[in-house]
Amino acid sequence: MSTIIDGGGPAFPTLFIEPKYGSGYKGMTLRDYFAGQALAGIMAGNYTSNSLEWVPREAYALADAMLAAREGAK
């Protein structure tokens, strides 16, 4: 997929305030969280592929689909 996907913002935002760097939120993106959940499901299933590259690629494809569905539901 060549389209850059918006990360969806922080999954578990933590406010930080630092005089030197300003303030904002940090933490994993919602896309990373969705991919991690998809990864757990993939690995819990009957995973038989010989390609380790397929696993993260599929996990992020599922995460992107979840983000797209989330945007469509708004």
Side-chain angles (χ1 to χ4, degrees), residues 4-55:
I4 296 175
I5 302 296
D6 176 23
F12 305 104
T14 302
L15 178 62
F16 71 91
I17 300 171
E18 298 175 3
K20 186 175 179 181
Y21 300 108
S23 64
Y25 291 95
K26 61 182 179 178
M28 82 168 77
T29 65
L30 190 55
R31 182 175 185 247
D32 288 334
Y33 177 72
F34 283 163
Q37 295 300 303
L39 173 65
I42 290 167
M43 298 310 291
N46 190 13
Y47 172 71
T48 59
S49 176
N50 292 328
S51 171
L52 290 179
E53 293 80 18
W54 176 87
V55 176

